[in-house]
Amino acid sequence: MKHLILIVLGFSIYACSDAGKSANDEPKKPTVIPRYEKSLVIAYYTQDSLKDGFTYYKREDQAVTKKQKAFEAEMKRRSKELEDYVRRNDEKARSGLLSQNEIMSIQQKAQQMEQELMQYQQTQGAKLEEESVKKLETITKKIETLGKMYCEKNGIDILLIHGPGGQLNFINEKMNVTADFIRFLNDNQASIEKDLK
């Protein structure tokens, strides 16, 4: 009988400890308080469309692209000039038309031309890069400022940017305000021109 009482008592203790254990082992869920207002208005615009539709963006991008092409053309011209100089004088040297002094002088000039080319690439390339970054910052400031004005005017609480590689996997097309936002940007960008300089 003592054994039976001990077995029953042991089983009861085991059952109680197991029950308490399973209640405490459950992972606790974070307390999330949903904050949803039925009047919350969310809209988005496609980022790629701004480059094509926002006149200021297009103009600034074309100016940078034009300078980039001019820089590349000048690099190509200088590289070709160096290559032609080396090739022309290499042919003369092989034909035995140049003295040792002339060859040394030609090599020095070729090295100088190469250094000038590298210097031009570094300084002008850096200037072009800096100018591009500044223009992009100005464009971004304009879009942010005008985006705020657009949202206030149209009662939009959140204006998202949608584009390839972005953070939005899907957003309903009904929320797309791209065409209207671009029209607003073009109509109002001149009004904030002086504020952003």
Side-chain angles (χ1 to χ4, degrees):
M1 184 78 161
K2 281 185 181 179
H3 289 312
L4 184 58
I5 292 174
L6 284 173
I7 291 173
V8 171
L9 186 59
F11 183 70
S12 297
I13 292 171
Y14 175 75
C16 288
S17 69
D18 218 23
K21 194 176 189 182
S22 64
N24 290 336
D25 284 349
E26 287 184 30
K28 293 185 179 186
K29 294 181 181 177
T31 304
V32 178
I33 302 168
R35 288 179 171 83
Y36 174 77
E37 297 179 28
K38 291 185 179 184
S39 63
L40 182 69
V41 178
I42 301 172
Y44 77 93
Y45 65 89
T46 55
Q47 189 171 11
D48 292 346
S49 298
L50 290 185
K51 193 173 183 180
D52 297 330
F54 184 20
T55 307
Y56 178 79
Y57 193 129
K58 205 177 350 180
R59 184 179 70 226
E60 294 300 305
D61 186 55
Q62 287 171 348
V64 169
T65 302
K66 184 178 178 180
K67 287 182 180 182
Q68 179 70 32
K69 286 181 179 178
F71 170 72
E72 290 170 2
E74 180 62 15
M75 283 294 298
K76 191 174 181 179
R77 184 194 70 75
R78 289 182 181 213
S79 293
K80 184 169 179 358
E81 183 181 340
L82 174 61
E83 289 171 15
D84 290 347
Y85 179 78
V86 169
R87 184 181 37 77
R88 216 176 27 250
N89 288 298
D90 187 47
E91 290 171 2
K92 288 180 185 178
R94 288 180 189 207
S95 300
L97 300 173
L98 300 174
S99 69
Q100 285 297 333
N101 287 340
E102 289 174 317
I103 291 173
M104 286 179 61
S105 177
I106 289 167
Q107 286 175 342
Q108 287 175 347
K109 184 172 180 185
Q111 286 175 348
Q112 181 184 356
M113 289 172 73
E114 188 174 15
Q115 287 173 351
E116 289 172 0
L117 176 65
M118 298 291 280
Q119 183 69 29
Y120 177 80
Q121 182 180 19
Q122 290 173 351
T123 57
Q124 294 303 315
K127 283 182 187 177
L128 190 59
E129 179 69 25
E130 185 180 334
E131 184 180 339
S132 297
V133 168
K134 283 183 181 177
K135 285 186 185 261
L136 189 58
E137 285 174 359
T138 302
I139 291 167
T140 302
K141 284 179 186 175
K142 281 181 180 282
I143 293 169
E144 286 174 1
T145 303
L146 290 170
K148 182 179 180 209
M149 290 169 56
Y150 179 78
C151 289
E152 289 170 350
K153 178 184 175 206
N154 293 292
I156 297 171
D157 297 300
I158 301 171
L159 181 61
L160 304 170
I161 303 169
H162 186 49
Q167 296 181 354
L168 301 175
N169 186 355
F170 170 78
I171 188 163
N172 193 314
E173 185 64 29
K174 291 188 285 187
M175 297 176 157
N176 189 349
V177 295
T178 303
D180 190 51
F181 183 53
I182 289 173
R183 187 172 28 263
F184 182 84
L185 290 172
N186 287 327
D187 291 346
N188 292 283
Q189 80 88 18
S191 67
I192 65 163
E193 189 78 30
K194 61 183 177 286
D195 297 335
L196 293 175
K197 285 190 175 183

